[in-house]
Amino acid sequence: MRFKKIYIEITNTCNLSCPFCIQNSRKLSCMNVDEFRHILQEIRPYTHYIYLHVLGEPLMHPDLEAFLQLAKEYGFHVNLTTNGTLLNKSLPVLLKASALRQINISLHSFPQIENYLENVLKCGDALSKNNVYVSYRMWTMDLNQDPNMNITLSKIQDHYDCTFDEMKHSVKLKDHCFISFDKSFEWPSLSNEYVGEKGTCQGYRHMCAILVDGSVVPCCLDSKGEAVLGNIFKSSFADILNKNIKLLDDFSHHKMTLELCQKCSYRLRFEK
């Protein structure tokens, strides 16, 4: 069994409180270097790609440079998602991290920080020039009441001398640099309305996630840890997968046996 990617939540703390985010309801925590190394050793046979995100702002982590170096040593390609507020400060670390493959910068938080977008675009240019894929995210296109959205889009078009004739899922701005458009979504939660027991999803078939406390969950959107399959600090990753092999078979046959999946509307995006 292999995954296209495995999410590792190195911290669930964040320096913003964006209205579209589900907000963290778990104990605030940061993964330490030994824990991160242990996870890499455990998942090494199962993927080449790790995403340093579930909730939280990964650029806040004090050991980010050590994590990126460990990822290189273990042969992983790294993607991370950031709100962009700490890019200037973190840029030297990111530029020398050869394991860094892609950085997703969520622009739809519209933080009221002086020169925010200018700094983000400057860092995005530096990273893309360094052969890191840069994806600017605008994932609240159906919530366009905020006038900052049009201002942001206009500034991006001016910066890259382009126009967005169509709000496609992904538009190339230049080599290694894109802007991604999408609609907002409802985060999966056991408190949501029932959706159904049949359907398909990327969860557990193509990816899974490891929360900051070591909880292994089948989906990168299980921000509350409501569908925990095991804990990688208490059991081997191989044992956790083996104990949940039936779940993989259920997903492969479009059966949503987990209650969280039965109350998830995001998975409807994958249905034909």
Side-chain angles (χ1 to χ4, degrees):
M1 181 177 181
R2 288 188 64 83
F3 297 98
K4 290 183 178 179
K5 53 192 174 184
I6 294 179
Y7 289 76
I8 305 175
E9 184 186 64
I10 60 175
T11 180
N12 60 4
T13 62
C14 188
N15 59 342
L16 294 180
S17 183
C18 302
F20 57 84
C21 180
I22 196 170
Q23 308 296 331
N24 178 44
S25 59
R26 293 173 279 123
K27 178 182 177 181
L28 295 179
S29 184
C30 281
M31 196 173 285
N32 64 44
V33 173
D34 288 338
E35 290 171 334
F36 187 71
R37 181 187 291 108
H38 173 76
I39 290 172
L40 296 187
Q41 291 171 343
E42 288 289 314
I43 69 173
R44 194 176 186 182
Y46 299 97
T47 192
H48 291 305
Y49 296 91
I50 57 175
Y51 286 49
L52 303 186
H53 184 68
V54 173
L55 286 185
E57 171 51 58
L59 299 189
M60 289 181 65
H61 202 294
D63 294 316
L64 178 62
E65 184 172 5
F67 286 5
L68 291 171
Q69 179 59 33
L70 280 171
K72 174 187 176 182
E73 293 174 8
Y74 282 93
F76 288 100
H77 303 288
V78 178
N79 287 32
L80 63 82
T81 299
T82 174
N83 59 40
T85 57
L86 301 174
L87 272 175
N88 255 344
K89 180 181 179 181
S90 305
L91 188 60
V93 170
L94 299 175
L95 286 175
K96 70 178 183 180
S98 60
L100 183 61
R101 174 186 176 272
Q102 178 169 325
I103 183 164
N104 306 310
I105 307 171
S106 298
L107 301 178
H108 40 279
S109 54
F110 303 119
Q112 300 301 308
I113 298 174
E114 187 177 2
N115 298 323
Y116 165 76
L117 189 59
E118 290 79 2
N119 288 330
V120 164
L121 295 177
K122 180 190 71 175
C123 293
D125 287 343
L127 288 162
S128 61
K129 188 177 180 180
N130 205 42
N131 295 323
V132 175
Y133 289 99
V134 175
S135 177
Y136 302 114
R137 286 183 172 179
M138 301 287 286
W139 283 11
T140 53
M141 296 307 295
D142 54 333
L143 304 176
N144 56 7
Q145 298 91 344
D146 195 320
N148 284 314
M149 178 175 290
N150 290 330
I151 295 172
T152 297
L153 289 175
S154 178
K155 287 185 176 181
I156 292 174
Q157 291 179 101
D158 290 343
H159 183 83
Y160 289 104
D161 190 24
C162 66
T163 57
F164 305 135
D165 297 326
E166 263 187 282
M167 299 301 186
K168 298 178 182 178
H169 180 66
S170 183
V171 178
K172 184 176 181 179
L173 301 173
K174 67 173 189 176
D175 287 346
H176 289 86
C177 191
F178 302 82
I179 184 168
S180 172
F181 298 101
D182 211 336
K183 296 180 179 180
S184 59
F185 60 87
E186 181 182 43
W187 288 77
S189 172
L190 293 178
S191 61
N192 291 352
E193 294 293 323
Y194 177 80
V195 175
E197 298 180 19
K198 291 186 179 295
T200 186
C201 182
Q202 305 296 314
Y204 208 57
R205 293 190 301 132
H206 301 307
M207 57 89 166
C208 67
I210 301 169
L211 304 183
V212 68
D213 66 351
S215 296
V216 177
V217 293
C219 174
C220 65
L221 295 181
D222 185 7
S223 63
K224 297 180 180 180
E226 295 180 316
V228 177
L229 307 178
N231 191 295
I232 201 167
F233 298 143
K234 299 176 181 179
S235 304
S236 72
F237 192 61
D239 283 347
I240 293 171
L241 296 182
N242 289 335
K243 290 178 181 178
N244 292 278
I245 195 68
K246 185 180 183 300
L247 180 61
L248 176 62
D249 184 64
D250 289 340
F251 279 173
S252 298
H253 290 86
H254 293 192
K255 297 177 182 178
M256 302 289 108
T257 52
L258 293 176
E259 183 182 359
L260 183 66
C261 302
Q262 294 172 1
K263 295 184 175 182
C264 173
S265 59
Y266 186 84
R267 64 180 173 81
L268 299 179
R269 298 184 178 204
F270 302 105
E271 295 185 3
K272 295 181 180 180

